Structures are given as structure tokens and as C-alpha cells.
Amino acid sequence: MPDQQVVDLLVIGAGMAGLTAGARAVRDGLSVVVTEIGDEVGGSARYAGYAWTAPSHQAMERHNPGGETSLKRALVDRFTDGITWIGSTGVDVKGAQPILGFGQGHQFDTNHYIDSCRRIVVEAGGEVLTATVTERLLLEDGAVAGAELVTGDGMRRTVHAASTLLATGGFQGDTALRNKFVHPHADRMELRSNPHSRGAGYRLATSVGAATGPTGAGFYGHLIPSGIPFGDPSDFVDLSLYYSEHALLFNLRGERFADETLGDHLTTMALMEQPESRGLLIADSRVFRDWVVGSYVKGAVAVDKFALAAKRGGRVGLAESLDELDCLPEEWGYDGPAVRAAVEEVNAKSAAGEEPTPGRRLDRTPLDQPPYYVVEAVPAITFPFHGIRIDDSARVLGEDGRPVAGLLAAGSDTGGLWHRAYAGGIASALVFGLVAAETAAETAVQNTTPTVTGDLTATAATRAASRGRG
């Protein structure tokens, strides 16, 4: 293994965004090295199963009005190309289906896809280095020109690159960064993600003057039963209380504080702001039948989340009538009579065709069919929305608003796309991974900086031409 190397694209992070970029880049004839801090590639994409986003600019604007316009438009415009790309790797992609009531997406085997992208990189002569730490970015004349690495066997290695892509998956695994940029008590949340995304990309980017943000953007996650640590990655789905969209959620004062029907991922952010960041989620028998034990997304395996929470020792209860809510266990700390009265008020207003406060825009059906299924819920984080700022070519932006030469970012390392809203993390990693590969290909052709391998000198453009791309 050489301790000095020159490539067209160095990818730091081998998850959805990084391996997508690497595979697309080698297909375009670029020389590529992909590094991964973990022992295995894939990151959080290993736990996913769908690529989905808003199907139109109008829907994206309606559900994510605070996101950066150029990034939102790129995601919507390029999503179909991304799905086509997945199919081109030999991975079967299912037909479009509705997601979260407003999105549209495709089911596919993300493990097969990750492994296929790795194979594409390696078979084309690229490298995928696991258990490898990126110590620092290289700077030449103000441009990022690769990085210094330490491989799993302790060897130091310098990779010079015309383009360097940060795709380390966010900083959700770093509690200090979470507390600083997500919420002062974000360290309390369970980590609904791979453990290796600890802000490496964020720190590398800021070390060379990258802009970050936005402030107060929030995070993507889901409600889970309180007091139950994740045992393994299957819990990320099995314990997520997606059905909260059709239930009622109350804080410690017995108050509703959000329109639950707009999405469990949004209610999760709202609960983080409530006292002690915990609340009671209440469903009636209709919600239990249709949503708790039903498939949240067509084709997904149904899990009785109430039974699972009870089995795992969560705070759960079954009330045969609304009156029994008055008798919530004292040690839980909730105002039972206030909770019962609030459920009765929602039901009365819904039955009369009136809007409760907060509203229930997407499901105004009363919860009036006992028994009532009670679960104490808390937020869990998948990734933050604060991150490295990029443009719609995946170029990292400096604090002056101009691109940092030679530096790209994609996936959950980036910020600006989502602002207290969400429409698909796998989709954004896919699309901006492909965009980053395209930008790297353009740079490889345009680059006229001599690169040295042994006694041979060539430009990136010459190498590209020799592969039939010039």
C-alpha cells in the first residue's frame, strides 16, 4: 500500500452518499479512494429500506418551507435520476408508493445496494479502506487537495485528490455537538443511527473555513417508548412509534402541544422542547387496530409496538375507559384528570366538526373507542439538520459564501436542505452523492495541476482523456 497517492476523488465516509459518489465516479472513469472509520461500510443506510421525497416542488415547499431553495429543487428534480441509478447497479427497485401522506418513494434492498457500490468501486480499480481515520485535510494554495489518513494497521497515508468529498453521516453520535446545535439536553436522546457518525466531516470542514448551519434547524428522528435502550439496529424501526400521527400526545401538564397528524418526525422535535422531553401517547382501539399493529408503509413488516414496549419494560398501560386515565401511576408524574379531560375535549370537538387546539389537520376522527393504549414516549435522534453548507453542485461553501475549492459534501454531513421538516434522508444522500460525483468529474477534466506517480507526470485532464472521457 503506497504512503503517497494521487486520485481524482477522495471520499471520506462509506455510507449511502459516499459509496454512491464513489461508484458513480469510477463509472465515469475517475480514480477513487473511499475511506470509512468503521470496520464495515454502509453506515445508517444499512438500516433503511426506502428512498423517498416530496414528489413536486409544490409539495416540498409546503412541507419544508424553511429549507434552502436550490437544494430542495435539486433533490426533487434529480430524484428520478437517482432511482434509475440504483437500478443500474443491479439492485431491484420497487414501484413508487406514497410515504408519510405526502411523499413518494421506492423500496429497495439498501444492503444489496451498498455492497454493489463497493464492488463497483473495487472492480474498477478503486480502493475502499475501512477502519481508517482522516486526520486532516491537505491545503494547497487555499484549495483542499486531499487528506492525511491513518489506516487500521496504524500506517500513515497521504492521498492527494482533485476533489475531496465529506460524507461521514452527520454528528449525531457526538453528544457535545448535539447539545450545542440540536438542543441543550440532546444528549438524553437515544441514538437511532450507526455509532460512527460523530462529526468527523463537520470538524474537517470547519477546519478549512466552511460555513455551517442553519441555527435551530432541528433534527430527524422518531418517538420511542421511554426507558428502553436500543438493543440492536432492528429496534430503530421496531420501537419507533410511527402511529403517533393518529394518536394523541400529552406533556407532563396534561396538555397537547403539537398537531400530531402532521408527522411523527415533527412531533418528535416538538416533544424535545417540552418539560423533561417526555410525554404520554394515547391511542384508542381503532388506532391500535389500524395503525399500531398495521404496516406503517405498504409492504413493511407489522410489529405490535405496544406489546413490544410492554415486553421490554417500557411505561405502558391499558385503560378500559377514559375515566381510568384519572388513575395514571403517580410516579409517572402526569396529571391524569387533565389528560382525560383533554381527550374528551378533542373527541367532543371532532364529533361536532370543530377544530381542536392544537389542530388535527390530517386526521380528525375522535378517539372514542375503548380500550385506550398508553405509552410514555421520548425522542430519538437519527441525524441533525445543522451541518456543512453546500450549493446545489455539492460544493462546500466558505464563510464568505463562495465554494471552498476542492471540497464537496453530501448526505447527513450537510445543512440547509431541511429546516424543522423532513422528506427523505436516503434520497438526499443518493441525489447529492451523484451530484458530487458529477462535480468531481468536471473538476478532473478541468484540472491542469501536475500529479506525480513515481517518475510519471500527468494532469487529471490527461488521465481522463486517456480513459476515453477527454
Side-chain angles (χ1 to χ4, degrees), residues 14-17 19-20 41-52 83 85-86 89-94 106-118 233 237 425-427 429-430:
M16 185 72 186
L19 282 173
T20 293
V41 301
S44 296
R46 291 285 190 189
Y47 318 135
Y50 291 83
W52 74 277
I83 297 302
W85 159 259
I86 293 174
T89 68
V91 175
D92 181 51
V93 184
K94 305 298 184 184
H106 302 261
Q107 186 179 25
F108 69 106
D109 186 337
T110 52
N111 286 283
H112 185 194
Y113 175 75
I114 288 296
D115 294 336
S116 296
C117 286
R118 179 178 187 168
V237 172
I426 290 293
L430 170 67

Side-chain angles (χ1 to χ4, degrees), residues 8-292:
D8 295 315
L9 175 63
L10 170 62
V11 179
I12 302 171
M16 185 72 186
L19 282 173
T20 293
R24 176 60 181 267
V26 297
R27 280 202 176 171
D28 285 345
L30 275 65
S31 53
V32 172
V33 169
V34 180
T35 74
E36 167 59 39
I37 195 170
D39 293 332
E40 301 291 338
V41 301
S44 296
R46 291 285 190 189
Y47 318 135
Y50 291 83
W52 74 277
T53 194
S56 66
H57 296 305
Q58 292 79 8
M60 177 64 80
E61 190 62 31
R62 184 165 60 252
H63 291 275
N64 181 32
E68 170 61 40
T69 298
S70 64
L71 302 182
K72 293 188 294 187
R73 296 192 69 85
L75 177 56
V76 172
D77 289 342
R78 300 295 300 274
F79 179 66
T80 299
D81 293 340
I83 297 302
T84 300
W85 159 259
I86 293 174
S88 79
T89 68
V91 175
D92 181 51
V93 184
K94 305 298 184 184
Q97 60 178 285
I99 306 287
L100 283 185
F102 72 91
Q104 182 171 289
H106 302 261
Q107 186 179 25
F108 69 106
D109 186 337
T110 52
N111 286 283
H112 185 194
Y113 175 75
I114 288 296
D115 294 336
S116 296
C117 286
R118 179 178 187 168
R119 174 183 52 77
I120 289 168
V121 171
V122 172
E123 289 182 352
E127 287 186 275
V128 178
L129 307 174
T130 56
T132 297
V133 175
T134 302
E135 284 208 328
R136 71 179 185 95
L137 297 176
L138 302 177
L139 284 175
E140 295 179 4
D141 298 325
V144 173
E148 290 187 353
L149 315 175
V150 178
T151 60
D153 56 6
M155 300 298 292
R156 304 189 71 84
R157 183 172 178 183
T158 300
V159 178
H160 299 272
S163 296
T164 300
L165 171 63
L166 302 175
T168 66
F171 59 72
Q172 60 272 11
D174 186 293
T175 54
L177 288 175
R178 274 162 49 182
N179 284 356
K180 183 175 182 179
F181 295 115
V182 175
H183 188 276
H185 302 300
D187 57 317
R188 298 174 181 172
M189 287 190 281
E190 283 288 322
L191 180 61
R192 189 179 177 272
S193 164
N194 83 86
H196 300 298
S197 294
R198 300 190 292 266
Y202 188 91
R203 292 187 176 92
L204 289 168
T206 55
S207 74
V208 295
T212 62
T215 301
F219 64 97
Y220 169 58
H222 285 288
L223 298 177
I224 62 171
S226 66
I228 304 178
F230 289 129
D232 60 60
S234 67
D235 286 342
F236 296 165
V237 172
D238 291 350
L239 287 176
S240 290
L241 304 175
Y242 305 121
Y243 71 86
S244 75
E245 298 174 13
H246 304 279
L248 296 173
L249 185 63
F250 299 91
N251 64 18
L252 284 169
R253 294 188 291 266
E255 304 164 335
R256 289 179 59 237
F257 51 87
D259 183 342
E260 304 93 341
T261 71
L262 298 182
D264 181 75
H265 58 296
L266 301 180
T267 306
T268 298
M269 283 187 281
L271 182 58
M272 193 67 212
E273 305 295 335
Q274 297 302 305
E276 299 183 29
S277 301
R278 60 189 177 102
L280 282 188
L281 187 64
I282 299 178
D284 69 352
S285 63
R286 173 189 63 85
V287 172
F288 179 81
R289 179 187 67 247
D290 294 346
W291 299 104
V292 177

